[in-house]
Amino acid sequence: MRIEIPREFDRLGAVRIYGLQKIYELDAGPGPEAPGSDDAIVRSLPADALYGVQREMAIVVPVRSERLKLIEGVLVGIPNSCLVIVVSNSPREPIDRFFLEQESIANFCRFTHKQVVIVHQKDPAIGAAFAAGGYPELLDDTGCVRNGKAEGMMIGTVLARMMGRRYVGFVDSDNYFPGAVNEYVREYAAGFLINGGAHTLVRISWHSKPKIVEQSLYFAKWGRSSRHCNHALNRLLSHHTGFETEIVKTGNAGEHALTLDLAMSIRYATGYAVEPFHYIDLLEQYGGVFPTEHGDMRHLIRICQIESRNPHFHENKGEDHIADMIRGSLSTVYHSRLCPPSLQQEIDAELRQSGLLKEGETLQPVHTYPSLERLDLAKFTAIAQEVVERRVGAPGSPA
Ligand code: GDP
Ligand code: CO
């Protein structure tokens, strides 16, 4: 892969946010470049080194009632070297969709010898494992994990840790293009290769999102939701650094990956606010504005943003969904301890103007979960191991 090195970064305390990096070649060859031919602007990352990172990576695929063909396409795109963890919250009745997913994935694995673990979000054993590990916040009244994509991602993260991976990446299961999925995973690996494996968050910004406009294809760059979300995050950052910035391009990037150490230490917001909240949490915890338990400001957090080349094309989930996403992501900024009253007013006005907040309504805070650090992994594993052993995938593959 040939990738631009970041030209700039913005910093707040220990958090460094690097500028968007362009991809110049998806494949730049197997080995290192001949000495002297790498210039200062782009860097070639050998395929072997990227595989090395992928072998230590788990890819979590959250699923809720997606079409089987789409899920299969996503699995086709994930490199064989990665461990795949599918966390499904699909209904089990009147039709047992989870059973169908398991069957179709098992069949797929017979041909590919892919390592895939598939778990159900509502599996009582998973709920019991979180309870035993001392993390009941994730559970509902019945002792099962709550609904939501973020909650599914948290299960996937803990399983990745339990299975000894160093990196965890997320790929939605409703992506139409296996080639795009493949590219995201390789870019996660590129981000870790460039930034080292300590505390790194890699986020993908899609190059474009195809739509039909006046009967022809139009490659839109920014969706409505990302525009609002990036703007609010940049305003927040500018307020604290004193310099206006547009560095944040991936405020609500669903496609992202983290080192497991970082994934276990950050807090999560529920539902679709999970992605922008990563920024908020890192800035709150490591931005140096407030004294926190993470006192060590020498411990750099790197946020790396990469622009993918494949167009992004996923299921259209409708207007209401977009409105929810905008409200959720702006709420994380609005209710942050870092948000000044002037920015709160601006966000409020913006939401009212676009009809997303009605007369008499206020922007509700999103629910957040504490860091997974408090989970006792040994106690969690004692129960969850059995669920993972029911996994499908290549026989004899390492757990
Ligand atoms: P968008 O792409 O951000 O607009 O949102 P989607 O509705 O496509 O959801 C993103 C991904 O999360 C998709 O792969 C969904 O199937 C999955 N998803 C949505 N809700 C849940 C849930 O409650 N649990 C799990 N495990 N996955 C979910
Ligand atoms: Co989607």
Side-chain angles (χ1 to χ4, degrees):
M1 179 167 281
R2 199 177 304 272
I3 183 169
E4 176 183 27
I5 61 167
R7 289 154 197 249
E8 45 167 5
F9 63 81
D10 272 11
R11 188 189 61 86
L12 191 68
V15 183
R16 264 193 201 177
I17 304 174
Y18 290 95
L20 196 63
Q21 292 169 254
K22 244 196 176 92
I23 298 295
Y24 281 91
E25 271 184 323
L26 289 174
D27 189 339
E33 199 106 64
S37 54
D38 247 1
D39 60 34
I41 304 167
V42 292
R43 206 174 137 185
S44 149
L45 303 171
D48 290 352
L50 292 173
Y51 277 117
V53 176
Q54 286 170 19
R55 274 194 286 272
E56 296 186 278
M57 195 185 295
I59 297 295
V60 174
V61 183
V63 176
R64 194 183 59 198
S65 305
E66 303 293 354
R67 287 182 281 166
L68 295 177
K69 281 272 184 261
L70 282 185
I71 304 175
E72 184 178 313
V74 168
L75 295 182
V76 169
I78 301 174
N80 189 277
S81 41
C82 301
L83 166 71
V84 183
I85 301 174
V86 176
V87 183
S88 171
N89 195 20
S90 302
R92 308 206 63 169
E93 47 196 34
I95 298 169
D96 191 349
R97 292 188 67 117
F98 180 60
F99 175 78
L100 298 178
E101 288 162 2
Q102 278 178 304
E103 209 181 39
S104 126
I105 293 173
N107 192 38
F108 177 77
C109 290
R110 279 223 314 277
F111 297 115
T112 55
H113 301 284
K114 224 179 179 62
Q115 288 180 64
V116 182
V117 172
I118 170 165
V119 299
H120 197 272
Q121 192 153 335
K122 300 288 179 189
D123 189 323
I126 295 282
F130 275 102
Y135 197 99
E137 288 86 348
L138 204 57
L139 309 178
D140 62 18
D141 300 341
T142 67
C144 291
V145 173
R146 293 169 195 270
N147 289 324
K149 178 189 173 193
E151 289 75 0
M153 288 167 58
M154 291 170 75
I155 297 176
T157 300
V158 176
L159 292 178
R161 165 64 107 198
M162 179 179 122
M163 297 177 79
R165 299 296 140 146
R166 236 177 119 188
Y167 310 103
V168 59
F170 300 91
V171 177
D172 285 354
S173 55
D174 63 341
N175 197 311
Y176 281 104
F177 294 155
V181 170
N182 185 261
E183 182 185 354
Y184 300 146
V185 175
R186 292 158 44 82
E187 283 159 358
Y188 298 159
F192 294 124
L193 211 52
I194 294 171
N195 290 292
H199 273 47
T200 300
L201 167 59
V202 184
R203 302 174 71 105
I204 306 291
S205 167
W206 315 319
H207 182 263
S208 62
K209 212 169 155 176
K211 303 182 180 175
I212 309 280
V213 177
E214 289 167 6
Q215 293 178 351
S216 61
L217 260 188
Y218 175 71
F219 290 87
K221 194 149 188 74
W222 303 109
R224 262 204 302 149
S225 172
S226 47
R227 208 171 322 188
H228 281 281
C229 178
N230 291 337
H231 181 68
L233 285 168
N234 282 318
R235 289 273 290 111
L236 186 73
L237 204 58
S238 310
H239 173 81
H240 290 279
T241 60
F243 290 89
E244 192 168 3
T245 183
E246 291 193 7
I247 198 104
V248 176
K249 308 277 193 211
T250 55
N252 51 9
E255 275 60 45
H256 66 276
L258 314 87
T259 51
L260 262 166
D261 288 345
L262 189 59
M264 296 296 289
S265 85
I266 57 174
R267 291 182 299 150
Y268 289 81
T270 191
Y272 295 104
V274 58
E275 284 98 8
F277 189 68
H278 281 0
Y279 272 101
I280 298 293
D281 187 50
L282 290 175
L283 293 171
E284 286 185 0
Q285 305 288 332
Y286 298 95
V289 178
F290 309 113
T292 61
E293 60 265 39
H294 301 286
D296 189 359
M297 287 293 145
R298 288 165 304 177
H299 200 96
L300 264 190
I301 310 285
R302 294 185 169 93
I303 304 181
C304 159
Q305 307 181 87
I306 300 181
E307 186 176 63
S308 61
R309 285 283 176 166
N310 277 283
H312 186 85
F313 197 39
H314 65 150
E315 283 274 274
N316 186 355
K317 308 245 161 94
E319 275 295 304
D320 285 355
H321 177 66
I322 295 180
D324 277 349
M325 277 190 31
I326 297 176
R327 276 189 295 259
S329 62
L330 293 189
S331 168
T332 63
V333 180
Y334 185 97
H335 290 287
S336 166
R337 291 181 293 154
L338 291 167
C339 189
S342 57
L343 180 53
Q344 287 188 323
Q345 280 159 17
E346 206 179 295
I347 291 174
D348 194 74
E350 201 176 301
L351 284 170
R352 288 186 199 284
Q353 206 177 15
S354 42
L356 294 169
L357 266 190
K358 304 262 174 322
E359 197 59 37
E361 281 178 351
T362 50
L363 191 56
Q364 294 304 308
V366 291
H367 179 71
T368 59
Y369 294 109
S371 154
L372 286 164
E373 249 156 19
R374 72 156 63 174
L375 179 78
D376 183 327
L377 197 66
K379 290 188 177 144
F380 176 91
T381 305
I383 299 179
Q385 191 70 42
E386 169 260 339
V387 181
V388 168
E389 271 153 21
R390 280 191 255 135
R391 76 189 190 276
V392 292
S397 56

PDB file of all heavy atoms in Angstrom, residues 62-66 87-89 121 147-149 152-153 171-174 272 314-315 317 321 325, ligand 1:
ATOM      1  N   PRO A  62     -20.809  -6.209  13.490  1.00  0.00           N
ATOM      2  CA  PRO A  62     -22.116  -6.175  14.148  1.00  0.00           C
ATOM      3  C   PRO A  62     -23.222  -6.437  13.136  1.00  0.00           C
ATOM      4  O   PRO A  62     -23.165  -5.928  12.021  1.00  0.00           O
ATOM      5  CB  PRO A  62     -22.213  -4.746  14.696  1.00  0.00           C
ATOM      6  CG  PRO A  62     -21.327  -3.921  13.823  1.00  0.00           C
ATOM      7  CD  PRO A  62     -20.280  -4.849  13.253  1.00  0.00           C
ATOM      8  N   VAL A  63     -24.185  -7.253  13.524  1.00  0.00           N
ATOM      9  CA  VAL A  63     -25.262  -7.621  12.594  1.00  0.00           C
ATOM     10  C   VAL A  63     -26.613  -7.472  13.278  1.00  0.00           C
ATOM     11  O   VAL A  63     -26.783  -7.909  14.422  1.00  0.00           O
ATOM     12  CB  VAL A  63     -25.130  -9.110  12.169  1.00  0.00           C
ATOM     13  CG1 VAL A  63     -26.307  -9.521  11.284  1.00  0.00           C
ATOM     14  CG2 VAL A  63     -23.816  -9.385  11.462  1.00  0.00           C
ATOM     15  N   ARG A  64     -27.548  -6.853  12.604  1.00  0.00           N
ATOM     16  CA  ARG A  64     -28.934  -6.967  13.037  1.00  0.00           C
ATOM     17  C   ARG A  64     -29.816  -7.039  11.811  1.00  0.00           C
ATOM     18  O   ARG A  64     -29.968  -6.066  11.076  1.00  0.00           O
ATOM     19  CB  ARG A  64     -29.368  -5.804  13.921  1.00  0.00           C
ATOM     20  CG  ARG A  64     -30.703  -6.144  14.630  1.00  0.00           C
ATOM     21  CD  ARG A  64     -31.239  -5.013  15.460  1.00  0.00           C
ATOM     22  NE  ARG A  64     -31.465  -3.855  14.617  1.00  0.00           N
ATOM     23  CZ  ARG A  64     -31.595  -2.617  15.086  1.00  0.00           C
ATOM     24  NH1 ARG A  64     -31.493  -2.401  16.370  1.00  0.00           N
ATOM     25  NH2 ARG A  64     -31.802  -1.614  14.281  1.00  0.00           N
ATOM     26  N   SER A  65     -30.326  -8.243  11.572  1.00  0.00           N
ATOM     27  CA  SER A  65     -31.293  -8.475  10.498  1.00  0.00           C
ATOM     28  C   SER A  65     -30.813  -8.009   9.128  1.00  0.00           C
ATOM     29  O   SER A  65     -31.571  -7.410   8.383  1.00  0.00           O
ATOM     30  CB  SER A  65     -32.621  -7.763  10.796  1.00  0.00           C
ATOM     31  OG  SER A  65     -33.093  -8.168  12.040  1.00  0.00           O
ATOM     32  N   GLU A  66     -29.541  -8.217   8.839  1.00  0.00           N
ATOM     33  CA  GLU A  66     -29.081  -7.883   7.489  1.00  0.00           C
ATOM     34  C   GLU A  66     -29.318  -9.074   6.579  1.00  0.00           C
ATOM     35  O   GLU A  66     -29.429 -10.212   7.039  1.00  0.00           O
ATOM     36  CB  GLU A  66     -27.587  -7.519   7.496  1.00  0.00           C
ATOM     37  CG  GLU A  66     -27.218  -6.371   8.420  1.00  0.00           C
ATOM     38  CD  GLU A  66     -27.793  -5.018   8.000  1.00  0.00           C
ATOM     39  OE1 GLU A  66     -28.400  -4.925   6.908  1.00  0.00           O
ATOM     40  OE2 GLU A  66     -27.659  -4.065   8.784  1.00  0.00           O
ATOM     41  N   VAL A  87     -21.041 -10.398  15.847  1.00  0.00           N
ATOM     42  CA  VAL A  87     -21.952 -10.255  16.984  1.00  0.00           C
ATOM     43  C   VAL A  87     -23.323  -9.908  16.423  1.00  0.00           C
ATOM     44  O   VAL A  87     -23.513  -8.841  15.859  1.00  0.00           O
ATOM     45  CB  VAL A  87     -21.492  -9.160  17.962  1.00  0.00           C
ATOM     46  CG1 VAL A  87     -22.427  -9.104  19.167  1.00  0.00           C
ATOM     47  CG2 VAL A  87     -20.059  -9.386  18.404  1.00  0.00           C
ATOM     48  N   SER A  88     -24.242 -10.849  16.553  1.00  0.00           N
ATOM     49  CA  SER A  88     -25.544 -10.667  15.937  1.00  0.00           C
ATOM     50  C   SER A  88     -26.608 -10.362  16.981  1.00  0.00           C
ATOM     51  O   SER A  88     -26.634 -10.961  18.055  1.00  0.00           O
ATOM     52  CB  SER A  88     -25.933 -11.937  15.184  1.00  0.00           C
ATOM     53  OG  SER A  88     -27.279 -11.840  14.771  1.00  0.00           O
ATOM     54  N   ASN A  89     -27.481  -9.436  16.612  1.00  0.00           N
ATOM     55  CA  ASN A  89     -28.645  -9.170  17.453  1.00  0.00           C
ATOM     56  C   ASN A  89     -29.910  -9.386  16.628  1.00  0.00           C
ATOM     57  O   ASN A  89     -30.911  -8.696  16.815  1.00  0.00           O
ATOM     58  CB  ASN A  89     -28.565  -7.740  18.013  1.00  0.00           C
ATOM     59  CG  ASN A  89     -29.523  -7.522  19.164  1.00  0.00           C
ATOM     60  OD1 ASN A  89     -29.975  -8.472  19.792  1.00  0.00           O
ATOM     61  ND2 ASN A  89     -29.857  -6.270  19.439  1.00  0.00           N
ATOM     62  N   GLN A 121     -25.957 -11.520  20.617  1.00  0.00           N
ATOM     63  CA  GLN A 121     -25.894 -10.472  21.641  1.00  0.00           C
ATOM     64  C   GLN A 121     -26.686 -10.851  22.893  1.00  0.00           C
ATOM     65  O   GLN A 121     -26.344 -10.463  23.997  1.00  0.00           O
ATOM     66  CB  GLN A 121     -26.450  -9.174  21.018  1.00  0.00           C
ATOM     67  CG  GLN A 121     -26.200  -7.943  21.835  1.00  0.00           C
ATOM     68  CD  GLN A 121     -26.140  -6.683  20.961  1.00  0.00           C
ATOM     69  OE1 GLN A 121     -25.837  -6.754  19.766  1.00  0.00           O
ATOM     70  NE2 GLN A 121     -26.418  -5.546  21.531  1.00  0.00           N
ATOM     71  N   ASN A 147     -29.830  -3.996  23.827  1.00  0.00           N
ATOM     72  CA  ASN A 147     -29.827  -3.826  22.374  1.00  0.00           C
ATOM     73  C   ASN A 147     -28.902  -2.690  21.978  1.00  0.00           C
ATOM     74  O   ASN A 147     -28.679  -1.772  22.758  1.00  0.00           O
ATOM     75  CB  ASN A 147     -31.233  -3.458  21.889  1.00  0.00           C
ATOM     76  CG  ASN A 147     -32.169  -4.635  22.005  1.00  0.00           C
ATOM     77  OD1 ASN A 147     -31.773  -5.776  21.787  1.00  0.00           O
ATOM     78  ND2 ASN A 147     -33.417  -4.362  22.355  1.00  0.00           N
ATOM     79  N   GLY A 148     -28.444  -2.717  20.754  1.00  0.00           N
ATOM     80  CA  GLY A 148     -27.685  -1.582  20.227  1.00  0.00           C
ATOM     81  C   GLY A 148     -26.398  -2.015  19.577  1.00  0.00           C
ATOM     82  O   GLY A 148     -25.799  -3.035  19.938  1.00  0.00           O
ATOM     83  N   LYS A 149     -25.999  -1.222  18.602  1.00  0.00           N
ATOM     84  CA  LYS A 149     -24.766  -1.516  17.888  1.00  0.00           C
ATOM     85  C   LYS A 149     -23.558  -1.366  18.811  1.00  0.00           C
ATOM     86  O   LYS A 149     -22.653  -2.200  18.823  1.00  0.00           O
ATOM     87  CB  LYS A 149     -24.643  -0.553  16.702  1.00  0.00           C
ATOM     88  CG  LYS A 149     -23.390  -0.742  15.930  1.00  0.00           C
ATOM     89  CD  LYS A 149     -23.207   0.355  14.901  1.00  0.00           C
ATOM     90  CE  LYS A 149     -21.838   0.202  14.271  1.00  0.00           C
ATOM     91  NZ  LYS A 149     -21.425   1.352  13.490  1.00  0.00           N
ATOM     92  N   GLY A 152     -23.114  -4.283  20.978  1.00  0.00           N
ATOM     93  CA  GLY A 152     -22.540  -5.398  20.208  1.00  0.00           C
ATOM     94  C   GLY A 152     -21.038  -5.214  20.014  1.00  0.00           C
ATOM     95  O   GLY A 152     -20.257  -6.166  20.116  1.00  0.00           O
ATOM     96  N   MET A 153     -20.645  -3.982  19.758  1.00  0.00           N
ATOM     97  CA  MET A 153     -19.218  -3.701  19.571  1.00  0.00           C
ATOM     98  C   MET A 153     -18.437  -3.976  20.848  1.00  0.00           C
ATOM     99  O   MET A 153     -17.301  -4.458  20.818  1.00  0.00           O
ATOM    100  CB  MET A 153     -19.035  -2.229  19.177  1.00  0.00           C
ATOM    101  CG  MET A 153     -19.493  -1.915  17.774  1.00  0.00           C
ATOM    102  SD  MET A 153     -19.615  -0.134  17.468  1.00  0.00           S
ATOM    103  CE  MET A 153     -17.966   0.408  17.814  1.00  0.00           C
ATOM    104  N   VAL A 171     -16.308  -3.449  11.143  1.00  0.00           N
ATOM    105  CA  VAL A 171     -16.819  -3.321   9.775  1.00  0.00           C
ATOM    106  C   VAL A 171     -18.310  -3.625   9.805  1.00  0.00           C
ATOM    107  O   VAL A 171     -18.719  -4.682  10.302  1.00  0.00           O
ATOM    108  CB  VAL A 171     -16.112  -4.313   8.820  1.00  0.00           C
ATOM    109  CG1 VAL A 171     -16.715  -4.214   7.443  1.00  0.00           C
ATOM    110  CG2 VAL A 171     -14.619  -4.043   8.742  1.00  0.00           C
ATOM    111  N   ASP A 172     -19.126  -2.704   9.302  1.00  0.00           N
ATOM    112  CA  ASP A 172     -20.574  -2.930   9.290  1.00  0.00           C
ATOM    113  C   ASP A 172     -20.924  -4.079   8.350  1.00  0.00           C
ATOM    114  O   ASP A 172     -20.231  -4.326   7.362  1.00  0.00           O
ATOM    115  CB  ASP A 172     -21.313  -1.669   8.820  1.00  0.00           C
ATOM    116  CG  ASP A 172     -21.346  -0.609   9.915  1.00  0.00           C
ATOM    117  OD1 ASP A 172     -20.906  -0.899  11.035  1.00  0.00           O
ATOM    118  OD2 ASP A 172     -21.823   0.502   9.621  1.00  0.00           O
ATOM    119  N   SER A 173     -22.030  -4.755   8.663  1.00  0.00           N
ATOM    120  CA  SER A 173     -22.389  -5.943   7.878  1.00  0.00           C
ATOM    121  C   SER A 173     -23.307  -5.611   6.713  1.00  0.00           C
ATOM    122  O   SER A 173     -23.741  -6.498   6.005  1.00  0.00           O
ATOM    123  CB  SER A 173     -23.068  -6.957   8.795  1.00  0.00           C
ATOM    124  OG  SER A 173     -24.163  -6.338   9.443  1.00  0.00           O
ATOM    125  N   ASP A 174     -23.607  -4.325   6.508  1.00  0.00           N
ATOM    126  CA  ASP A 174     -24.546  -3.983   5.425  1.00  0.00           C
ATOM    127  C   ASP A 174     -23.832  -3.343   4.238  1.00  0.00           C
ATOM    128  O   ASP A 174     -24.428  -2.605   3.470  1.00  0.00           O
ATOM    129  CB  ASP A 174     -25.659  -3.062   5.943  1.00  0.00           C
ATOM    130  CG  ASP A 174     -25.127  -1.720   6.440  1.00  0.00           C
ATOM    131  OD1 ASP A 174     -23.923  -1.622   6.724  1.00  0.00           O
ATOM    132  OD2 ASP A 174     -25.923  -0.768   6.533  1.00  0.00           O
ATOM    133  N   TYR A 272     -25.849   4.967  18.106  1.00  0.00           N
ATOM    134  CA  TYR A 272     -25.027   5.490  17.013  1.00  0.00           C
ATOM    135  C   TYR A 272     -24.115   6.627  17.445  1.00  0.00           C
ATOM    136  O   TYR A 272     -23.380   7.167  16.627  1.00  0.00           O
ATOM    137  CB  TYR A 272     -25.927   5.927  15.860  1.00  0.00           C
ATOM    138  CG  TYR A 272     -26.644   4.754  15.270  1.00  0.00           C
ATOM    139  CD1 TYR A 272     -27.974   4.515  15.537  1.00  0.00           C
ATOM    140  CD2 TYR A 272     -25.959   3.834  14.476  1.00  0.00           C
ATOM    141  CE1 TYR A 272     -28.622   3.410  15.027  1.00  0.00           C
ATOM    142  CE2 TYR A 272     -26.587   2.730  13.960  1.00  0.00           C
ATOM    143  CZ  TYR A 272     -27.924   2.521  14.236  1.00  0.00           C
ATOM    144  OH  TYR A 272     -28.544   1.421  13.729  1.00  0.00           O
ATOM    145  N   HIS A 314     -23.869   1.313   1.313  1.00  0.00           N
ATOM    146  CA  HIS A 314     -24.516   0.389   2.255  1.00  0.00           C
ATOM    147  C   HIS A 314     -26.027   0.528   2.177  1.00  0.00           C
ATOM    148  O   HIS A 314     -26.537   1.360   1.432  1.00  0.00           O
ATOM    149  CB  HIS A 314     -23.982   0.596   3.679  1.00  0.00           C
ATOM    150  CG  HIS A 314     -24.299   1.927   4.285  1.00  0.00           C
ATOM    151  ND1 HIS A 314     -24.470   2.120   5.620  1.00  0.00           N
ATOM    152  CD2 HIS A 314     -24.483   3.148   3.720  1.00  0.00           C
ATOM    153  CE1 HIS A 314     -24.735   3.388   5.860  1.00  0.00           C
ATOM    154  NE2 HIS A 314     -24.752   4.032   4.726  1.00  0.00           N
ATOM    155  N   GLU A 315     -26.729  -0.294   2.961  1.00  0.00           N
ATOM    156  CA  GLU A 315     -28.187  -0.269   2.956  1.00  0.00           C
ATOM    157  C   GLU A 315     -28.691   1.114   3.341  1.00  0.00           C
ATOM    158  O   GLU A 315     -28.179   1.732   4.276  1.00  0.00           O
ATOM    159  CB  GLU A 315     -28.713  -1.279   3.988  1.00  0.00           C
ATOM    160  CG  GLU A 315     -28.640  -2.711   3.541  1.00  0.00           C
ATOM    161  CD  GLU A 315     -29.850  -3.140   2.737  1.00  0.00           C
ATOM    162  OE1 GLU A 315     -30.844  -3.544   3.347  1.00  0.00           O
ATOM    163  OE2 GLU A 315     -29.774  -3.087   1.488  1.00  0.00           O
ATOM    164  N   LYS A 317     -31.084   3.218   5.259  1.00  0.00           N
ATOM    165  CA  LYS A 317     -31.982   2.959   6.388  1.00  0.00           C
ATOM    166  C   LYS A 317     -32.957   4.117   6.637  1.00  0.00           C
ATOM    167  O   LYS A 317     -33.620   4.172   7.662  1.00  0.00           O
ATOM    168  CB  LYS A 317     -31.170   2.631   7.643  1.00  0.00           C
ATOM    169  CG  LYS A 317     -30.154   1.518   7.419  1.00  0.00           C
ATOM    170  CD  LYS A 317     -30.432   0.263   8.218  1.00  0.00           C
ATOM    171  CE  LYS A 317     -29.718  -0.955   7.677  1.00  0.00           C
ATOM    172  NZ  LYS A 317     -28.447  -1.256   8.263  1.00  0.00           N
ATOM    173  N   HIS A 321     -33.492   7.597  10.541  1.00  0.00           N
ATOM    174  CA  HIS A 321     -32.225   7.071  11.017  1.00  0.00           C
ATOM    175  C   HIS A 321     -31.154   8.166  10.967  1.00  0.00           C
ATOM    176  O   HIS A 321     -30.380   8.330  11.904  1.00  0.00           O
ATOM    177  CB  HIS A 321     -31.865   5.885  10.129  1.00  0.00           C
ATOM    178  CG  HIS A 321     -30.551   5.256  10.445  1.00  0.00           C
ATOM    179  ND1 HIS A 321     -30.334   4.608  11.636  1.00  0.00           N
ATOM    180  CD2 HIS A 321     -29.404   5.189   9.759  1.00  0.00           C
ATOM    181  CE1 HIS A 321     -29.097   4.167  11.642  1.00  0.00           C
ATOM    182  NE2 HIS A 321     -28.506   4.513  10.521  1.00  0.00           N
ATOM    183  N   MET A 325     -29.107   9.931  14.015  1.00  0.00           N
ATOM    184  CA  MET A 325     -27.643   9.957  14.047  1.00  0.00           C
ATOM    185  C   MET A 325     -27.129  11.364  14.292  1.00  0.00           C
ATOM    186  O   MET A 325     -26.171  11.559  15.040  1.00  0.00           O
ATOM    187  CB  MET A 325     -27.071   9.409  12.740  1.00  0.00           C
ATOM    188  CG  MET A 325     -27.029   7.923  12.789  1.00  0.00           C
ATOM    189  SD  MET A 325     -26.161   7.103  11.489  1.00  0.00           S
ATOM    190  CE  MET A 325     -24.907   8.156  11.014  1.00  0.00           C
TER     191      MET A 325
HETATM  192  P1  GDP B   1     -25.330   3.166   9.686  1.00  0.00           P
HETATM  193  O1  GDP B   1     -24.607   2.380   8.670  1.00  0.00           O
HETATM  194  O2  GDP B   1     -24.455   3.800  10.699  1.00  0.00           O
HETATM  195  O3  GDP B   1     -26.313   4.101   9.096  1.00  0.00           O
HETATM  196  O4  GDP B   1     -26.219   2.181  10.577  1.00  0.00           O
HETATM  197  P2  GDP B   1     -26.731   0.702  10.317  1.00  0.00           P
HETATM  198  O5  GDP B   1     -28.155   0.633  10.731  1.00  0.00           O
HETATM  199  O6  GDP B   1     -26.364   0.222   8.962  1.00  0.00           O
HETATM  200  O7  GDP B   1     -25.947  -0.117  11.428  1.00  0.00           O
HETATM  201  C1  GDP B   1     -24.575  -0.308  11.384  1.00  0.00           C
HETATM  202  C2  GDP B   1     -24.260  -1.773  11.643  1.00  0.00           C
HETATM  203  O8  GDP B   1     -24.646  -2.160  12.959  1.00  0.00           O
HETATM  204  C3  GDP B   1     -24.978  -2.718  10.690  1.00  0.00           C
HETATM  205  O9  GDP B   1     -24.051  -3.726  10.343  1.00  0.00           O
HETATM  206  C4  GDP B   1     -26.125  -3.265  11.531  1.00  0.00           C
HETATM  207  O10 GDP B   1     -26.509  -4.560  11.115  1.00  0.00           O
HETATM  208  C5  GDP B   1     -25.499  -3.299  12.907  1.00  0.00           C
HETATM  209  N1  GDP B   1     -26.439  -3.157  14.043  1.00  0.00           N
HETATM  210  C6  GDP B   1     -27.471  -2.301  14.182  1.00  0.00           C
HETATM  211  N2  GDP B   1     -28.087  -2.486  15.383  1.00  0.00           N
HETATM  212  C7  GDP B   1     -27.420  -3.479  16.032  1.00  0.00           C
HETATM  213  C8  GDP B   1     -27.573  -4.147  17.313  1.00  0.00           C
HETATM  214  O11 GDP B   1     -28.451  -3.864  18.125  1.00  0.00           O
HETATM  215  N3  GDP B   1     -26.648  -5.123  17.614  1.00  0.00           N
HETATM  216  C9  GDP B   1     -25.655  -5.493  16.745  1.00  0.00           C
HETATM  217  N4  GDP B   1     -24.825  -6.469  17.128  1.00  0.00           N
HETATM  218  N5  GDP B   1     -25.522  -4.901  15.535  1.00  0.00           N
HETATM  219  C10 GDP B   1     -26.370  -3.906  15.178  1.00  0.00           C
END
